[in-house]
Amino acid sequence: MTDYEDILYSVVDGVATVTINRPQSLNAFRRTTLLEMIEAIDHAGADPRVGVIVLTGAGDRAFCAGGDVNWEADGGLENRGEEDRGAENYVKDVYAAIRRSLKPTIARVSGYAIGGGNHMAYFCDFTVASENAIFGQNGPRVASPAQGWLVSYLVRVVGAKRAREMWFLCRRYTAAQALDWGLVNAVVPAVGLDAEVRRWADELLAMSPTVLKLLKMSFDEEYAPLRELQEKEYLPLVKPDFFASGEQDEGARAFLEKRKPNFDAWR
């Protein structure tokens, strides 16, 4: 495999680990990050040495803080053609790689799992979190137009009321709250995080790999109708006007300038 710019990839005793390696940006992703993750996950899925895939972020400050706001402010959210399809489409491609690998995937979460980092964690088969983990969404706060099954799948994880609370209000939730909601499977002290992830991986590696693949396919089929229904452009009329209106620019600028956004002009 080629050297990566934004991620690290390793295989140890049956476990492939894909690490977002942008700690200076709280492991926020950009186009390069997502494309490299897709390649690495596909590689792990095809590798007979690999039985479990772990997704994580470098350092202990963040699993992933979502899309890099500097990239988004420069138009990273927009679908500008085949060469730059927009963040949402690349994120969907990461989840497609997770699904087609048919191998159990564990999110190893330390620190912030915000925005795209949060839904990356809840789309994995399992989430194991450090006690310092913080979960939440950012879309309405920074005018990032998340939509479709990326959003509504959370209802299957935590229920309709909690999903709306998390997405609409952009609050932050501790690891203990996430465990109570069913957003994560286990919470452990930071010093024990790697050992706990390895324990889950070893239990999975002891199982029949073919049966695990069948189970993963079965769970995937349960929400396939939701995904297929919403795979079309969910905001075909709103999106062009949205990006031209300046609303997304205000959200991104306010975040970068560390101030509260003013969306009054778009009410």
Side-chain angles (χ1 to χ4, degrees):
M1 297 180 68
T2 58
D3 290 335
Y4 290 117
E5 182 178 355
D6 282 10
I7 70 169
L8 302 174
Y9 180 83
S10 65
V11 177
V12 178
D13 296 331
V15 177
T17 301
V18 180
T19 304
I20 302 174
N21 189 32
R22 305 187 75 228
Q24 74 285 357
S25 302
L26 294 178
N27 296 315
F29 55 72
R30 54 182 180 165
R31 178 176 181 270
T32 299
T33 320
L34 297 171
L35 290 174
E36 290 182 351
M37 291 184 73
I38 294 162
E39 180 181 325
I41 294 167
D42 279 341
H43 183 84
D47 188 344
R49 300 176 302 158
V50 173
V52 174
I53 301 171
V54 172
L55 301 187
T56 192
D60 58 8
R61 293 181 62 209
F63 168 73
C64 173
D68 188 311
V69 177
N70 288 289
W71 172 56
E72 293 184 356
D74 193 37
L77 294 174
E78 299 181 57
N79 188 342
R80 295 178 289 182
E82 188 60 33
E83 291 302 312
D84 196 349
R85 299 166 53 243
E88 181 177 296
N89 291 296
Y90 291 120
V91 170
K92 288 178 180 178
D93 291 342
V94 172
Y95 301 155
I98 290 172
R99 295 198 314 273
R100 67 176 168 258
S101 77
L102 293 182
K103 296 177 179 179
T105 305
I106 302 172
R108 174 199 175 277
V109 178
S110 180
Y112 290 105
I114 303 297
N118 182 49
H119 54 74
M120 192 177 295
Y122 71 64
F123 267 98
C124 288
D125 298 303
F126 305 97
T127 303
V128 178
S130 167
E131 288 176 339
N132 75 338
I134 299 292
F135 299 85
Q137 288 303 142
N138 247 6
R141 177 174 288 152
V142 297
S144 177
Q147 39 109 346
W149 57 267
L150 294 182
V151 175
S152 54
Y153 178 67
L154 185 60
V155 173
R156 308 290 180 97
V157 181
V158 300
K161 296 295 186 180
R162 293 299 193 187
R164 284 170 170 79
E165 177 184 327
M166 176 169 273
W167 272 98
F168 285 14
L169 298 179
C170 301
R171 293 172 177 170
R172 299 293 179 254
Y173 303 93
T174 66
Q177 289 173 300
L179 182 65
D180 183 58
W181 283 19
L183 191 66
V184 305
N185 297 91
V187 175
V188 296
V191 294
L193 181 58
D194 287 329
E196 184 70 6
V197 171
R198 186 72 228 190
R199 185 175 73 83
W200 283 71
D202 285 341
E203 285 191 48
L204 290 164
L205 290 169
M207 304 297 175
S208 163
T210 301
V211 173
L212 290 181
K213 289 176 182 179
L214 290 169
L215 291 171
K216 184 155 181 169
M217 289 177 67
S218 298
F219 283 118
D220 185 61
E221 287 173 1
E222 190 271 335
Y223 75 97
L226 171 73
R227 190 173 62 245
E228 291 164 6
L229 177 67
Q230 299 181 351
E231 190 59 43
K232 61 186 178 181
E233 280 294 323
Y234 212 65
L235 302 174
L237 299 178
V238 175
K239 272 195 167 184
D241 293 340
F242 175 79
F243 287 112
S245 72
E247 184 176 352
Q248 192 271 326
D249 292 336
E250 168 61 12
R253 280 198 309 269
F255 183 88
L256 293 171
E257 294 168 5
K258 302 185 186 305
R259 61 174 173 82
K260 187 175 181 179
N262 182 354
F263 293 126
D264 289 346
W266 297 279
R267 299 291 179 206

PDB file of all heavy atoms in Angstrom, residues 165-187:
ATOM      1  N   GLU A 165     -32.896  15.667  19.471  1.00  0.00           N
ATOM      2  CA  GLU A 165     -32.178  16.518  20.427  1.00  0.00           C
ATOM      3  C   GLU A 165     -30.724  16.687  20.018  1.00  0.00           C
ATOM      4  O   GLU A 165     -30.188  17.799  20.005  1.00  0.00           O
ATOM      5  CB  GLU A 165     -32.264  15.894  21.823  1.00  0.00           C
ATOM      6  CG  GLU A 165     -31.501  16.653  22.886  1.00  0.00           C
ATOM      7  CD  GLU A 165     -31.521  15.951  24.242  1.00  0.00           C
ATOM      8  OE1 GLU A 165     -32.531  15.288  24.564  1.00  0.00           O
ATOM      9  OE2 GLU A 165     -30.517  16.056  24.973  1.00  0.00           O
ATOM     10  N   MET A 166     -30.088  15.581  19.656  1.00  0.00           N
ATOM     11  CA  MET A 166     -28.666  15.633  19.324  1.00  0.00           C
ATOM     12  C   MET A 166     -28.414  16.441  18.055  1.00  0.00           C
ATOM     13  O   MET A 166     -27.497  17.263  18.000  1.00  0.00           O
ATOM     14  CB  MET A 166     -28.114  14.214  19.180  1.00  0.00           C
ATOM     15  CG  MET A 166     -26.663  14.155  18.744  1.00  0.00           C
ATOM     16  SD  MET A 166     -25.947  12.487  18.887  1.00  0.00           S
ATOM     17  CE  MET A 166     -25.403  12.534  20.607  1.00  0.00           C
ATOM     18  N   TRP A 167     -29.261  16.243  17.039  1.00  0.00           N
ATOM     19  CA  TRP A 167     -29.031  16.911  15.763  1.00  0.00           C
ATOM     20  C   TRP A 167     -29.518  18.362  15.755  1.00  0.00           C
ATOM     21  O   TRP A 167     -28.859  19.238  15.194  1.00  0.00           O
ATOM     22  CB  TRP A 167     -29.716  16.135  14.641  1.00  0.00           C
ATOM     23  CG  TRP A 167     -28.845  15.061  14.058  1.00  0.00           C
ATOM     24  CD1 TRP A 167     -28.846  13.738  14.358  1.00  0.00           C
ATOM     25  CD2 TRP A 167     -27.825  15.233  13.073  1.00  0.00           C
ATOM     26  NE1 TRP A 167     -27.898  13.064  13.623  1.00  0.00           N
ATOM     27  CE2 TRP A 167     -27.260  13.962  12.817  1.00  0.00           C
ATOM     28  CE3 TRP A 167     -27.337  16.323  12.369  1.00  0.00           C
ATOM     29  CZ2 TRP A 167     -26.229  13.765  11.893  1.00  0.00           C
ATOM     30  CZ3 TRP A 167     -26.315  16.127  11.445  1.00  0.00           C
ATOM     31  CH2 TRP A 167     -25.774  14.869  11.215  1.00  0.00           C
ATOM     32  N   PHE A 168     -30.666  18.642  16.358  1.00  0.00           N
ATOM     33  CA  PHE A 168     -31.219  19.994  16.299  1.00  0.00           C
ATOM     34  C   PHE A 168     -30.477  20.974  17.210  1.00  0.00           C
ATOM     35  O   PHE A 168     -30.300  22.135  16.863  1.00  0.00           O
ATOM     36  CB  PHE A 168     -32.698  19.989  16.697  1.00  0.00           C
ATOM     37  CG  PHE A 168     -33.644  19.454  15.659  1.00  0.00           C
ATOM     38  CD1 PHE A 168     -33.212  18.747  14.551  1.00  0.00           C
ATOM     39  CD2 PHE A 168     -35.017  19.639  15.820  1.00  0.00           C
ATOM     40  CE1 PHE A 168     -34.101  18.244  13.613  1.00  0.00           C
ATOM     41  CE2 PHE A 168     -35.920  19.148  14.883  1.00  0.00           C
ATOM     42  CZ  PHE A 168     -35.463  18.449  13.778  1.00  0.00           C
ATOM     43  N   LEU A 169     -30.089  20.509  18.403  1.00  0.00           N
ATOM     44  CA  LEU A 169     -29.592  21.426  19.430  1.00  0.00           C
ATOM     45  C   LEU A 169     -28.076  21.471  19.550  1.00  0.00           C
ATOM     46  O   LEU A 169     -27.539  22.365  20.205  1.00  0.00           O
ATOM     47  CB  LEU A 169     -30.203  21.057  20.786  1.00  0.00           C
ATOM     48  CG  LEU A 169     -31.732  21.167  20.856  1.00  0.00           C
ATOM     49  CD1 LEU A 169     -32.230  20.745  22.229  1.00  0.00           C
ATOM     50  CD2 LEU A 169     -32.191  22.578  20.532  1.00  0.00           C
ATOM     51  N   CYS A 170     -27.378  20.509  18.959  1.00  0.00           N
ATOM     52  CA  CYS A 170     -25.910  20.515  18.947  1.00  0.00           C
ATOM     53  C   CYS A 170     -25.312  20.564  20.354  1.00  0.00           C
ATOM     54  O   CYS A 170     -24.286  21.211  20.589  1.00  0.00           O
ATOM     55  CB  CYS A 170     -25.366  21.683  18.117  1.00  0.00           C
ATOM     56  SG  CYS A 170     -25.905  21.680  16.401  1.00  0.00           S
ATOM     57  N   ARG A 171     -25.965  19.902  21.292  1.00  0.00           N
ATOM     58  CA  ARG A 171     -25.412  19.824  22.638  1.00  0.00           C
ATOM     59  C   ARG A 171     -24.259  18.826  22.680  1.00  0.00           C
ATOM     60  O   ARG A 171     -24.064  18.043  21.750  1.00  0.00           O
ATOM     61  CB  ARG A 171     -26.499  19.401  23.623  1.00  0.00           C
ATOM     62  CG  ARG A 171     -27.596  20.435  23.822  1.00  0.00           C
ATOM     63  CD  ARG A 171     -28.731  19.870  24.651  1.00  0.00           C
ATOM     64  NE  ARG A 171     -29.770  20.874  24.903  1.00  0.00           N
ATOM     65  CZ  ARG A 171     -30.946  20.600  25.437  1.00  0.00           C
ATOM     66  NH1 ARG A 171     -31.256  19.334  25.767  1.00  0.00           N
ATOM     67  NH2 ARG A 171     -31.831  21.555  25.633  1.00  0.00           N
ATOM     68  N   ARG A 172     -23.496  18.860  23.763  1.00  0.00           N
ATOM     69  CA  ARG A 172     -22.383  17.936  23.955  1.00  0.00           C
ATOM     70  C   ARG A 172     -22.761  16.927  25.030  1.00  0.00           C
ATOM     71  O   ARG A 172     -23.373  17.273  26.047  1.00  0.00           O
ATOM     72  CB  ARG A 172     -21.116  18.701  24.360  1.00  0.00           C
ATOM     73  CG  ARG A 172     -20.651  19.723  23.308  1.00  0.00           C
ATOM     74  CD  ARG A 172     -20.184  19.023  22.053  1.00  0.00           C
ATOM     75  NE  ARG A 172     -19.766  19.957  21.021  1.00  0.00           N
ATOM     76  CZ  ARG A 172     -20.463  20.241  19.925  1.00  0.00           C
ATOM     77  NH1 ARG A 172     -21.654  19.675  19.749  1.00  0.00           N
ATOM     78  NH2 ARG A 172     -19.994  21.074  19.024  1.00  0.00           N
ATOM     79  N   TYR A 173     -22.375  15.668  24.824  1.00  0.00           N
ATOM     80  CA  TYR A 173     -22.752  14.583  25.717  1.00  0.00           C
ATOM     81  C   TYR A 173     -21.519  13.811  26.162  1.00  0.00           C
ATOM     82  O   TYR A 173     -20.634  13.508  25.355  1.00  0.00           O
ATOM     83  CB  TYR A 173     -23.742  13.645  25.014  1.00  0.00           C
ATOM     84  CG  TYR A 173     -24.971  14.366  24.529  1.00  0.00           C
ATOM     85  CD1 TYR A 173     -25.033  14.868  23.230  1.00  0.00           C
ATOM     86  CD2 TYR A 173     -26.049  14.589  25.381  1.00  0.00           C
ATOM     87  CE1 TYR A 173     -26.153  15.551  22.795  1.00  0.00           C
ATOM     88  CE2 TYR A 173     -27.164  15.282  24.948  1.00  0.00           C
ATOM     89  CZ  TYR A 173     -27.214  15.770  23.651  1.00  0.00           C
ATOM     90  OH  TYR A 173     -28.320  16.463  23.216  1.00  0.00           O
ATOM     91  N   THR A 174     -21.469  13.504  27.443  1.00  0.00           N
ATOM     92  CA  THR A 174     -20.345  12.764  27.996  1.00  0.00           C
ATOM     93  C   THR A 174     -20.414  11.300  27.589  1.00  0.00           C
ATOM     94  O   THR A 174     -21.448  10.804  27.114  1.00  0.00           O
ATOM     95  CB  THR A 174     -20.345  12.846  29.532  1.00  0.00           C
ATOM     96  OG1 THR A 174     -21.515  12.144  30.021  1.00  0.00           O
ATOM     97  CG2 THR A 174     -20.357  14.291  30.021  1.00  0.00           C
ATOM     98  N   ALA A 175     -19.317  10.601  27.817  1.00  0.00           N
ATOM     99  CA  ALA A 175     -19.281   9.168  27.529  1.00  0.00           C
ATOM    100  C   ALA A 175     -20.330   8.426  28.351  1.00  0.00           C
ATOM    101  O   ALA A 175     -20.973   7.490  27.862  1.00  0.00           O
ATOM    102  CB  ALA A 175     -17.887   8.619  27.804  1.00  0.00           C
ATOM    103  N   ALA A 176     -20.505   8.838  29.609  1.00  0.00           N
ATOM    104  CA  ALA A 176     -21.504   8.181  30.464  1.00  0.00           C
ATOM    105  C   ALA A 176     -22.908   8.375  29.909  1.00  0.00           C
ATOM    106  O   ALA A 176     -23.728   7.448  29.905  1.00  0.00           O
ATOM    107  CB  ALA A 176     -21.411   8.724  31.892  1.00  0.00           C
ATOM    108  N   GLN A 177     -23.232   9.587  29.437  1.00  0.00           N
ATOM    109  CA  GLN A 177     -24.532   9.828  28.818  1.00  0.00           C
ATOM    110  C   GLN A 177     -24.700   9.006  27.545  1.00  0.00           C
ATOM    111  O   GLN A 177     -25.765   8.443  27.285  1.00  0.00           O
ATOM    112  CB  GLN A 177     -24.695  11.320  28.503  1.00  0.00           C
ATOM    113  CG  GLN A 177     -24.891  12.204  29.720  1.00  0.00           C
ATOM    114  CD  GLN A 177     -24.873  13.680  29.352  1.00  0.00           C
ATOM    115  OE1 GLN A 177     -23.877  14.190  28.824  1.00  0.00           O
ATOM    116  NE2 GLN A 177     -25.971  14.370  29.609  1.00  0.00           N
ATOM    117  N   ALA A 178     -23.642   8.949  26.751  1.00  0.00           N
ATOM    118  CA  ALA A 178     -23.694   8.175  25.507  1.00  0.00           C
ATOM    119  C   ALA A 178     -23.944   6.697  25.786  1.00  0.00           C
ATOM    120  O   ALA A 178     -24.689   6.030  25.059  1.00  0.00           O
ATOM    121  CB  ALA A 178     -22.394   8.361  24.726  1.00  0.00           C
ATOM    122  N   LEU A 179     -23.345   6.182  26.843  1.00  0.00           N
ATOM    123  CA  LEU A 179     -23.565   4.784  27.219  1.00  0.00           C
ATOM    124  C   LEU A 179     -25.016   4.579  27.644  1.00  0.00           C
ATOM    125  O   LEU A 179     -25.662   3.594  27.261  1.00  0.00           O
ATOM    126  CB  LEU A 179     -22.613   4.393  28.347  1.00  0.00           C
ATOM    127  CG  LEU A 179     -22.693   2.943  28.822  1.00  0.00           C
ATOM    128  CD1 LEU A 179     -22.268   1.981  27.720  1.00  0.00           C
ATOM    129  CD2 LEU A 179     -21.807   2.742  30.071  1.00  0.00           C
ATOM    130  N   ASP A 180     -25.542   5.523  28.412  1.00  0.00           N
ATOM    131  CA  ASP A 180     -26.929   5.427  28.873  1.00  0.00           C
ATOM    132  C   ASP A 180     -27.911   5.457  27.701  1.00  0.00           C
ATOM    133  O   ASP A 180     -28.942   4.782  27.725  1.00  0.00           O
ATOM    134  CB  ASP A 180     -27.217   6.579  29.843  1.00  0.00           C
ATOM    135  CG  ASP A 180     -28.621   6.515  30.420  1.00  0.00           C
ATOM    136  OD1 ASP A 180     -28.967   5.497  31.037  1.00  0.00           O
ATOM    137  OD2 ASP A 180     -29.373   7.493  30.241  1.00  0.00           O
ATOM    138  N   TRP A 181     -27.587   6.222  26.672  1.00  0.00           N
ATOM    139  CA  TRP A 181     -28.449   6.336  25.497  1.00  0.00           C
ATOM    140  C   TRP A 181     -28.336   5.138  24.559  1.00  0.00           C
ATOM    141  O   TRP A 181     -29.173   4.960  23.682  1.00  0.00           O
ATOM    142  CB  TRP A 181     -28.080   7.592  24.705  1.00  0.00           C
ATOM    143  CG  TRP A 181     -28.559   8.877  25.274  1.00  0.00           C
ATOM    144  CD1 TRP A 181     -28.973   9.126  26.557  1.00  0.00           C
ATOM    145  CD2 TRP A 181     -28.652  10.117  24.570  1.00  0.00           C
ATOM    146  NE1 TRP A 181     -29.317  10.438  26.701  1.00  0.00           N
ATOM    147  CE2 TRP A 181     -29.123  11.078  25.493  1.00  0.00           C
ATOM    148  CE3 TRP A 181     -28.370  10.510  23.283  1.00  0.00           C
ATOM    149  CZ2 TRP A 181     -29.344  12.410  25.149  1.00  0.00           C
ATOM    150  CZ3 TRP A 181     -28.572  11.834  22.923  1.00  0.00           C
ATOM    151  CH2 TRP A 181     -29.062  12.777  23.846  1.00  0.00           C
ATOM    152  N   GLY A 182     -27.283   4.347  24.685  1.00  0.00           N
ATOM    153  CA  GLY A 182     -27.034   3.283  23.732  1.00  0.00           C
ATOM    154  C   GLY A 182     -26.228   3.736  22.530  1.00  0.00           C
ATOM    155  O   GLY A 182     -26.135   3.027  21.527  1.00  0.00           O
ATOM    156  N   LEU A 183     -25.610   4.917  22.630  1.00  0.00           N
ATOM    157  CA  LEU A 183     -24.774   5.435  21.547  1.00  0.00           C
ATOM    158  C   LEU A 183     -23.424   4.730  21.497  1.00  0.00           C
ATOM    159  O   LEU A 183     -22.791   4.667  20.444  1.00  0.00           O
ATOM    160  CB  LEU A 183     -24.575   6.947  21.735  1.00  0.00           C
ATOM    161  CG  LEU A 183     -23.964   7.734  20.585  1.00  0.00           C
ATOM    162  CD1 LEU A 183     -24.884   7.743  19.367  1.00  0.00           C
ATOM    163  CD2 LEU A 183     -23.680   9.176  21.024  1.00  0.00           C
ATOM    164  N   VAL A 184     -22.977   4.216  22.650  1.00  0.00           N
ATOM    165  CA  VAL A 184     -21.728   3.457  22.718  1.00  0.00           C
ATOM    166  C   VAL A 184     -21.982   2.137  23.431  1.00  0.00           C
ATOM    167  O   VAL A 184     -22.973   1.974  24.149  1.00  0.00           O
ATOM    168  CB  VAL A 184     -20.604   4.240  23.431  1.00  0.00           C
ATOM    169  CG1 VAL A 184     -20.386   5.599  22.781  1.00  0.00           C
ATOM    170  CG2 VAL A 184     -20.886   4.404  24.911  1.00  0.00           C
ATOM    171  N   ASN A 185     -21.059   1.183  23.224  1.00  0.00           N
ATOM    172  CA  ASN A 185     -21.186  -0.139  23.843  1.00  0.00           C
ATOM    173  C   ASN A 185     -20.478  -0.254  25.176  1.00  0.00           C
ATOM    174  O   ASN A 185     -20.907  -1.022  26.040  1.00  0.00           O
ATOM    175  CB  ASN A 185     -20.609  -1.208  22.912  1.00  0.00           C
ATOM    176  CG  ASN A 185     -21.363  -1.309  21.608  1.00  0.00           C
ATOM    177  OD1 ASN A 185     -21.030  -0.645  20.641  1.00  0.00           O
ATOM    178  ND2 ASN A 185     -22.400  -2.131  21.581  1.00  0.00           N
ATOM    179  N   ALA A 186     -19.375   0.480  25.339  1.00  0.00           N
ATOM    180  CA  ALA A 186     -18.591   0.373  26.572  1.00  0.00           C
ATOM    181  C   ALA A 186     -17.822   1.663  26.798  1.00  0.00           C
ATOM    182  O   ALA A 186     -17.429   2.341  25.838  1.00  0.00           O
ATOM    183  CB  ALA A 186     -17.618  -0.808  26.492  1.00  0.00           C
ATOM    184  N   VAL A 187     -17.632   2.005  28.084  1.00  0.00           N
ATOM    185  CA  VAL A 187     -16.844   3.168  28.483  1.00  0.00           C
ATOM    186  C   VAL A 187     -15.827   2.714  29.512  1.00  0.00           C
ATOM    187  O   VAL A 187     -16.177   2.025  30.482  1.00  0.00           O
ATOM    188  CB  VAL A 187     -17.731   4.279  29.074  1.00  0.00           C
ATOM    189  CG1 VAL A 187     -16.881   5.437  29.599  1.00  0.00           C
ATOM    190  CG2 VAL A 187     -18.733   4.781  28.044  1.00  0.00           C
TER     191      VAL A 187
END
